[in-house]
Amino acid sequence: MTRHVPTYDLYGERTGNAPDFWLHCETIPSRSSLHRYEIGLHRHGNFFQILYISAGSGDALFGTGQVKLTPPAVVTVPPSVDHGFRFSRDVDGHVFTTLASHLRLAGEVGRFVAEPRVTSLDGDDPDGAFVIATLERLAAEWAARRNGRTDLMEAYLSSVLTLTARLSGRADAPPEGAAARRMEHLNGLIQQHFRAQRPAGFYAEKLGISPTHLNRILKVATGLSAHAYIGRKMIDEAKRELVFTEMPAQEIGLRLGFADPAYFSRYFLRETGETPRAWRLRERARLAAQSSE
């Protein structure tokens, strides 16, 4: 016999008229203590929920499945998913209930929030610490009810979901995902240091691998050698500044670490087939034509 799972606005409150708020916040004990710390299976028709577990322990129930809750952790529950909780009496944290229609999330984050999840947080990890602090700020901002809080709460919520999706992706990544994470790390290092024109060996050392291994990774991922890949990233930055700034090409070259403006022009020509000035004029004309369509 199929068990009936009730649909609530907040747990224990029957669905009524359309809600007149987009975000609600309360502590976990404030509601769970009313139900002896056991929230039976239920669902929310229009709401997305985030639970931040800061203390205690428990279990999250998703349909017939069960996931252990060990703080600090974030639980994300999309609409229309059967879920419930069993908490220890020393549980603490917050529950954030937001209108699902208020979330405009796509890509990796959109895929992340489409399924119920429990994501562990590491307070010693910068991203984990940021999620913890931001959830505390979100709860404080909701309670304070000060002017301008809507924009802040939207920003906090977006940051929390984006970083939680990233953290969950790290935890769920298969072994081959290490290569993708290494590429992400490398791109961040290049962005940080390319103006100093560091050699490939510098980046290999930062990644804790040999230059030969770095070349092998990049050949598989991009078909380029490490030297060529670093140069490609530098050219991409030059293109960005040529399109979106009014700086002369000589100044852009200097900012990218080229002491000789003529050499920068020759390097750009060799890599793109055009001089910086010619590329800038052609690309701006192309973008102007697109915007007028």
Side-chain angles (χ1 to χ4, degrees):
M1 181 176 179
T2 303
R3 180 182 177 184
H4 172 68
V5 178
T7 299
Y8 293 135
D9 283 349
L10 302 176
Y11 184 73
E13 299 177 13
R14 293 288 177 177
T15 302
N17 297 325
D20 59 356
F21 61 86
W22 72 272
L23 181 71
H24 176 81
C25 174
E26 62 186 10
T27 67
I28 293 174
S30 65
R31 190 167 297 264
S32 63
S33 62
L34 302 176
H35 302 275
R36 298 183 179 180
Y37 297 92
E38 184 162 343
I39 305 298
L41 278 179
H42 64 288
R43 65 170 67 101
H44 307 289
N46 301 306
F47 296 115
F48 181 91
Q49 280 196 319
I50 301 172
L51 283 78
Y52 166 50
I53 315 296
S54 62
S57 60
D59 299 295
L61 312 175
F62 299 135
T64 58
Q66 179 175 311
V67 183
K68 191 73 175 174
L69 297 175
T70 302
V74 171
V75 184
T76 47
V77 186
S80 302
V81 170
D82 297 351
H83 65 285
F85 300 96
R86 289 193 290 265
F87 296 118
S88 63
R89 290 183 174 272
D90 60 345
V91 70
D92 204 1
H94 294 91
V95 183
F96 304 93
T97 303
T98 183
L99 281 170
S101 59
H102 201 84
L103 298 176
R104 297 174 181 85
L105 304 171
E108 179 184 349
V109 184
R111 290 188 292 273
F112 170 76
V113 301
E115 300 290 336
R117 302 177 192 268
V118 176
T119 305
S120 296
L121 300 175
D122 179 358
D124 293 327
D125 174 78
D127 286 346
F130 187 89
V131 170
I132 292 170
T134 304
L135 286 168
E136 296 287 3
R137 287 293 300 272
L138 178 58
E141 194 65 42
W142 186 88
R145 301 181 180 274
R146 291 174 292 197
N147 291 338
R149 71 175 186 147
T150 295
D151 289 343
L152 275 175
M153 291 193 300
E154 287 179 338
Y156 292 155
L157 192 62
S158 177
S159 297
V160 162
L161 291 175
T162 301
L163 280 176
T164 303
R166 177 186 293 176
L167 292 169
S168 178
R170 284 186 205 164
D172 296 340
E176 58 267 25
R181 294 195 299 274
R182 185 169 281 155
M183 284 295 296
E184 183 179 354
H185 189 191
L186 173 62
N187 288 334
L189 288 169
I190 293 173
Q191 189 68 30
Q192 183 180 355
H193 296 287
F194 64 71
R195 288 183 173 84
Q197 297 204 3
R198 301 289 191 180
F202 169 84
Y203 294 106
E205 181 180 356
K206 288 287 187 182
L207 292 171
I209 59 178
S210 69
T212 301
H213 191 188
L214 178 59
N215 266 311
R216 189 181 302 121
I217 290 171
L218 287 170
K219 279 287 187 181
V220 171
T222 69
L224 300 173
S225 68
H227 178 76
Y229 185 77
I230 295 165
R232 176 72 61 82
K233 288 292 185 181
M234 190 177 301
I235 288 296
D236 288 345
E237 180 65 14
K239 288 179 175 179
R240 188 191 69 79
E241 295 201 350
L242 285 167
V243 169
F244 295 107
T245 78
E246 299 299 330
M247 285 188 292
Q250 296 92 330
E251 186 176 344
I252 292 173
L254 288 172
R255 284 169 55 85
L256 294 176
F258 291 87
D260 181 358
Y263 177 65
F264 169 65
S265 291
R266 292 196 302 272
Y267 182 85
F268 192 93
L269 175 63
R270 186 180 73 219
E271 295 296 319
T272 68
E274 295 178 285
T275 65
R277 182 176 184 277
W279 188 90
R280 169 181 265 170
L281 292 173
R282 182 182 60 78
E283 187 65 11
R284 285 186 172 180
R286 184 184 69 83
L287 292 173
Q290 284 184 346
S291 64
S292 64
E293 290 176 355

